[in-house]
Amino acid sequence: MKDTGQQINCLYSTKGKGEGMSFLPISKEDMKERGWDQLDFLLISGDAYVDHPSFGTAIISRILEKEGYRVGIIAQPDWKSVDAFKILGRPKYAVLVTSGVIDSMVNHYTASKKVRSDDVYSPGGKAGYRPDRAVIVYCNRVREAFKDIPIIIGGIEASLRRFAHYDYWDDKVRRSILQDSRANLLVYGMGEKPILEIAGMLKQGIPVNEIKEVRGTAYIASYEDLSDEIKEHMDSGAKKGKYAVLPSFEEVSEDKVEYAKAFKIQYEEQDAITGRTLIQKHGDKYVVQNPPIMPLSEKEMDRIYALPYERTYHPIYEKYGGIPAIKEVEFSITSHRGCYGGCSFCALNFHQGRVIQRRSQKSVINEARKLTMLPNFKGYIHDVGGPTANFRGRACEKQDKSGVCKNRQCLYPEPCKNLIVDHSEYLDLLRKLRELPGVKKIFIRSGIRYDYLMLDKNDEFFTELCEHHVSGQLKVAPEHVVNRVLHRMGKPSREVYDRFVKKFYEINQKLNKEQYLVPYLISSHPGSDLKAAVELAVYLNKIKYTPEQVQDFYPTPGTLSTCMFYTGLDPRDMKKVYVPKSPKEKAMQRALLQYRKKENYNLVYEALKLAGREDLIGYGKDCLIKPPKAPKQHGTGRQEEKNSLGHGSKTGEGRKKAAGKAKGGRTGGKSRAGSLRERKKKR
C-alpha cells in the first residue's frame, strides 16, 4: 500500500472542491478555513470518511455539529505512527474512536480465518488501511499522543465486546475491550443520545471518570470507585433489584457453563425498561454497564436523518476509485431501526435492540425526494427498510410501558398472541414513494421476514410486494430447512417456509410474472451435524437449486449462536448442542450445499458415507452424486466431467437456475444467491 490513511488524510483540503461542500475538517487547513484553532471532539474511524446516514461516523459527527461542537475526523490513520493521530491537534473535550461499520476482525478475515483481499469501506476497495482490533490499536495510539485525554469508544466493535467475550480469532475468552483499549467510556448500541449527554457533561467541566450514570454506556472502575449502592448490592449477594452481577472474567474464561450463564443474563437485560445495570469483575476491576437508552421517538429519528449529510464519500478518495460501500446505500433509505426477529446468529439484540424505532412517513418521503435530485439517480430506490424491512412498528402494545419479554421471543418458537400483524402503514408508505416524480421502481433489499408476512391474513402487501418491489428475484433467509437446526437458529419451521414459497409463486402466477426466490443458507451452524447438512442438500436437489455461494457460520462477538459455538450449550435452556468445528467437517457441510460442483465431489462422497446415506450415491432421481467410476473408465473428458458433477447437475445457463415456479412440488428458476450479508444497520 503506497498511501497510508495518514497520507490520505493529510494531503487534502476541501477548499476549491466545489460549491456547497460541507464535509467536516480532516486537516489543519480545513480547520483554518472555518476559523477554528482547536476541535472540541476528534473522531477517529477505521472506515474511510463517508458522510452518509448509513455510517455511524457520519451520524455522530453531524449531531455533535448540530449542537454547536467543533468536530474533526481522522479516517483510517496510519496506526504505525503516533504523528498520524496528531494532525488535527489535541481536542478540547475528548477523542471518539470507532473501528467502523463492522468489527475489524470480521472485516479482515473470512469464516475460515483467511485474510480478505478487499475492504469495501476503504479507498478503491483495497484492504490494509486499518489494523486488526482497530479500537484497541487506535486508543493506545491516542493515549500515546495525548496522554490523559478522555477517550470514548463506540460502534459495533466496542459495543459487542463490552464484557468478557469469546473471540473466534484467538479461540479464547478475551476481557472487556474497555480494559485493553484503556478507554474511559464505552457507548454501546445506537449512540446519539449518550454522546450528546456525555458532550454536555464534559462541556460543563465534569471529569470523565465521574460520568457513570449515562444510559447506553459502560465503564470500568475499581471497587473503591463504585457507587455505594452497587457495592452494597454486591456485598449482600442479592439476586434481585436494580443490579445483576455476572460471573467474573476469570470464571467465564475457565468454565463454559459460567460463560453461558453470563451470556444469558446479558441477553435478557437488553431492554431500556426492564434492563438492569450489569456488573462483571475483571481481576481487581469491575466493568459496569448501565441500562440501554430509551428508544428514540419518531421526532428524534426524523431529526437525525434530516441532518445535512453530503451522502457520499469525501472527494479525497476520488483518485483512488472512491469507496465501494457507497454503492449499496447511495440510493437506499433507512426507514427504521431495531428488530424483534430474534435470529440467534444476529447481534442486533445487543446493538440496536428489539424495539422498533421508526421515522415518520414525511421524513422518509423527503429523503426520497432528495435522492431523485442527485445527479446520478436513475429512477431506482434500492431499499426502503431496516434490519427487517416489514417490521415498521412495535411488536406489541405492551412494549411501550413494560418493555420486551425477557424469556420469550415475538416470533419464535411460535408467534406471540400479542403480536401486532399489520403491513398497512408500510404499504401506504411504499405507495406514496412510488408516486414521487422521477421514481421508476422501489426495491426492498433489507429483507422480508416471511413468517411475519405469512401471519397477515390480508394478501394486499404480499401482492404489491411481488407486483412492484421485486425485480425478478426476492432474497429471503430460511437459513436452513431442518427443524432441529432452525430451533437453534431461532427461525420458524420448514413448514412455514414451504407455505411461503407456495404462496409466492401462486401470487406471481396470478400477476403473470416470472419471479424467483433466492434463499440465504448457512452451513455448519451449531446444531447442524452431517445428517442435517445432507437433509438440506436433499431439499436443494428437490427444488433443483444450487447456491452460487454458501455462508459458513461465523462466530462473531455478541450473538447467541457464538455462545453455543464456544460452550456447546444453548444458554436459553442450557441443553447441549452439537457444534461442527473441524475444518474438514465444515468443508463437507459447505460442499453438500453445492454438491453439483465438480470440485466438491470427493467431499460430498465422503460426507454421504460418514452420514450413512449411501442411498444418495447412485443414478436415481433423488441421488445427489453418481458412484465413482473405476479407474479404467476415467479420463474420458466429457464423461468424467458429468460423473464429477453428479446427477441432475447444471452447467452454464442451468447453474443460474434458482427456486423458480412451483410445479409438481419442485421449483426451478433463475437466481444469484448466497452472498455474505453485511447489514447496513451495523454500525
Side-chain angles (χ1 to χ4, degrees):
M1 187 74 59
K2 292 182 179 179
D3 292 295
T4 65
Q6 178 200 13
Q7 291 170 321
I8 292 177
N9 232 64
C10 289
L11 291 174
Y12 186 79
S13 168
T14 58
K15 185 176 181 180
K17 295 296 179 176
E19 187 177 352
M21 298 295 287
S22 62
F23 289 94
L24 296 175
I26 66 168
S27 68
K28 278 284 190 179
E29 185 179 353
D30 290 346
M31 291 173 60
K32 289 178 182 178
E33 289 174 8
R34 292 181 176 231
W36 297 358
D37 58 355
Q38 186 181 26
L39 299 173
D40 292 325
F41 292 95
L42 169 63
L43 197 160
I44 295 173
S45 172
D47 289 338
Y49 180 20
V50 182
D51 192 35
H52 189 282
S54 292
F55 291 73
T57 294
I59 290 178
I60 296 301
S61 60
R62 288 296 184 185
I63 64 168
L64 286 169
E65 178 193 46
K66 180 70 174 178
E67 293 301 312
Y69 296 103
R70 298 177 175 183
V71 186
I73 294 174
I74 301 179
Q76 300 185 320
D78 178 10
W79 66 93
K80 300 179 183 69
S81 169
V82 71
D83 293 336
F85 294 79
K86 296 178 179 180
I87 62 172
L88 298 182
R90 181 187 177 99
K92 186 176 182 179
Y93 298 129
V95 178
L96 315 178
V97 177
T98 175
S99 69
V101 173
I102 61 176
D103 186 282
S104 59
M105 300 303 286
V106 177
N107 177 274
H108 286 172
Y109 302 96
T110 67
S112 58
K113 300 184 182 181
K114 294 181 179 178
V115 179
R116 300 187 194 272
S117 59
D118 60 351
D119 181 353
V120 296
Y121 301 100
S122 292
K126 295 180 179 179
Y129 281 94
R130 80 183 89 202
D132 287 356
R133 311 194 186 283
V135 170
I136 295 172
V137 174
Y138 290 161
C139 285
N140 281 284
R141 280 299 192 197
V142 170
R143 192 63 74 203
E144 185 180 354
F146 302 122
K147 306 303 180 189
D148 59 345
I149 192 79
I151 299 177
I152 302 162
I153 58 177
I156 197 80
E157 184 167 314
S159 183
L160 302 183
R161 296 174 181 269
R162 55 193 185 266
F163 291 108
H165 57 280
Y166 172 71
D167 184 88
Y168 175 60
W169 304 271
D170 281 352
D171 192 26
K172 70 176 185 181
V173 176
R174 291 180 63 97
R175 59 187 187 173
S176 166
I177 198 170
L178 274 164
Q179 281 202 317
D180 289 335
S181 67
R182 297 187 292 165
N184 300 98
L185 281 172
L186 184 156
V187 175
Y188 68 90
M190 303 291 97
E192 296 93 347
K193 280 187 174 180
I195 201 63
L196 288 180
E197 189 172 350
I198 294 166
M201 296 172 81
L202 291 173
K203 187 177 181 179
Q204 294 174 33
I206 298 173
V208 69
N209 60 1
E210 294 181 14
I211 301 176
K212 296 180 177 179
E213 303 294 330
V214 177
R215 281 177 167 267
T217 66
Y219 61 92
I220 196 162
S222 64
Y223 180 84
E224 291 74 21
D225 291 332
L226 295 172
S227 71
D228 291 340
E229 197 172 358
I230 291 178
K231 286 189 283 193
E232 183 180 347
H233 179 90
M234 292 195 303
D235 295 343
S236 68
K239 300 296 183 182
K240 297 182 179 180
K242 295 169 38 182
Y243 307 97
V245 180
L246 308 178
S248 69
F249 166 70
E250 289 75 18
E251 289 172 321
V252 302
S253 300
E254 298 169 2
D255 189 333
K256 293 182 178 180
V257 173
E258 292 300 305
Y259 186 99
K261 290 178 180 177
F263 184 88
K264 185 181 182 183
I265 297 171
Q266 298 170 50
Y267 188 75
E268 292 177 348
E269 301 296 337
Q270 294 305 306
D271 180 69
I273 295 175
T274 64
R276 296 180 289 174
T277 297
L278 304 182
I279 306 150
Q280 186 178 51
K281 191 177 182 184
H282 282 57
D284 61 350
K285 302 288 187 181
Y286 295 84
V287 173
V288 182
Q289 175 195 286
N290 294 318
I293 63 167
M294 296 301 294
L296 296 171
S297 68
E298 191 172 87
K299 288 184 179 180
E300 288 172 326
M301 286 283 286
D302 287 355
R303 285 196 291 268
I304 289 168
Y305 287 90
L307 293 170
Y309 306 101
E310 291 292 321
R311 304 193 68 85
T312 188
Y313 51 79
H314 197 288
I316 186 180
Y317 305 116
E318 200 66 55
K319 66 180 180 181
Y320 301 93
I323 308 299
I326 193 65
K327 295 176 182 177
E328 193 64 28
V329 299
E330 187 176 11
F331 301 115
S332 296
I333 299 173
T334 299
S335 63
H336 60 277
R337 297 176 182 173
C339 181
Y340 52 82
C343 297
S344 302
F345 46 81
C346 180
L348 275 168
N349 185 70
F350 276 81
H351 195 57
Q352 291 194 9
R354 291 166 57 186
V355 176
I356 303 299
Q357 303 155 81
R358 75 180 186 189
R359 298 164 61 183
S360 69
Q361 288 195 2
K362 182 180 179 181
S363 172
V364 174
I365 292 168
N366 285 341
E367 184 172 352
R369 287 197 179 100
K370 291 178 182 178
L371 295 185
T372 65
M373 294 184 281
L374 295 176
N376 52 342
F377 181 72
K378 306 296 184 185
Y380 302 98
I381 294 176
H382 297 155
D383 189 31
V384 180
T388 299
N390 55 331
F391 289 172
R392 268 280 290 172
R394 297 284 205 273
C396 69
E397 294 179 357
K398 156 186 177 304
Q399 287 187 349
D400 289 324
K401 294 182 179 180
S402 305
V404 300
C405 298
K406 288 191 179 202
N407 299 314
R408 69 154 295 147
Q409 295 287 335
C410 303
L411 285 163
Y412 164 87
E414 297 292 335
C416 177
K417 63 180 181 179
N418 296 318
L419 182 66
I420 300 170
V421 181
D422 187 2
H423 288 89
S424 59
E425 190 275 340
Y426 186 39
L427 180 58
D428 182 59
L429 173 61
L430 291 172
R431 286 170 174 171
K432 291 174 180 176
L433 291 170
R434 294 201 305 261
E435 295 300 315
L436 291 177
V439 174
K440 297 178 182 178
K441 196 172 182 72
I442 298 168
F443 303 107
I444 298 175
R445 290 184 177 178
S446 51
I448 294 291
R449 187 73 185 221
Y450 60 83
D451 52 342
Y452 181 75
L453 178 59
M454 293 301 291
L455 293 172
D456 196 341
K457 294 180 173 60
N458 188 332
D459 289 343
E460 201 171 15
F461 175 77
F462 205 161
T463 301
E464 292 199 24
L465 171 70
C466 295
E467 186 175 6
H468 298 289
H469 304 291
V470 178
S471 181
Q473 301 169 358
L474 176 65
K475 296 179 180 179
V476 290
E479 312 295 2
H480 215 284
V481 297
V482 179
N483 285 342
R484 64 183 182 278
V485 182
L486 293 168
H487 172 68
R488 299 305 176 192
M489 289 180 164
K491 300 288 289 188
S493 68
R494 173 180 168 175
E495 290 72 26
V496 177
Y497 181 65
D498 287 342
R499 291 201 305 271
F500 165 75
V501 171
K502 184 175 183 293
K503 193 167 185 176
F504 175 83
Y505 290 113
E506 287 175 349
I507 289 174
N508 277 281
Q509 189 174 16
K510 290 179 182 178
L511 294 171
N512 198 29
K513 283 181 171 286
E514 188 175 353
Q515 300 189 132
Y516 310 101
L517 291 172
V518 178
Y520 284 118
L521 301 167
I522 297 178
S523 65
S524 303
H525 187 278
S528 176
D529 54 16
L530 272 181
K531 289 185 178 180
V534 171
E535 288 184 60
L536 179 53
V538 169
Y539 174 83
L540 294 174
N541 182 42
K542 180 182 177 181
I543 67 172
K544 301 302 178 192
Y545 172 63
T546 302
E548 290 186 7
Q549 298 180 28
V550 174
Q551 177 57 46
D552 282 347
F553 169 66
Y554 202 157
T556 57
T559 75
L560 185 67
S561 298
T562 298
C563 181
M564 293 185 216
F565 177 88
Y566 172 60
T567 65
L569 300 167
D570 188 332
R572 296 171 295 188
D573 56 19
M574 297 305 287
K575 290 183 178 179
K576 290 184 177 180
V577 179
Y578 176 81
V579 179
K581 285 192 175 184
S582 75
K584 183 64 175 293
E585 181 178 359
K586 290 197 285 187
M588 286 192 290
Q589 291 208 27
R590 183 172 59 252
L592 280 164
L593 272 63
Q594 298 176 312
Y595 65 88
R596 291 189 173 102
K597 288 191 172 185
K598 177 182 178 179
E599 60 269 27
N600 289 340
Y601 180 87
N602 290 336
L603 280 169
V604 173
Y605 181 82
E606 185 177 356
L608 294 175
K609 296 279 285 187
L610 286 172
R613 295 301 306 271
E614 290 93 337
D615 59 303
L616 298 174
I617 305 171
Y619 299 94
K621 66 181 179 68
D622 295 327
C623 293
L624 300 182
I625 57 173
K626 293 179 180 180
K629 291 290 187 178
K632 64 180 182 179
Q633 296 178 329
H634 284 189
T636 57
R638 181 64 178 166
Q639 185 61 45
E640 182 181 352
E641 182 181 351
K642 287 181 178 179
N643 294 337
S644 298
L645 286 169
H647 179 79
S649 65
K650 309 287 184 181
T651 59
E653 182 63 26
R655 274 191 190 167
K656 299 179 182 177
K657 300 228 172 170
K661 290 184 177 180
K663 293 181 180 180
R666 297 187 180 186
T667 54
K670 298 179 181 179
S671 122
R672 294 184 63 201
S675 60
L676 171 64
R677 292 163 292 167
E678 291 292 354
R679 298 181 178 185
K680 67 186 181 186
K681 62 289 307 169
K682 290 186 176 178
R683 58 177 178 81

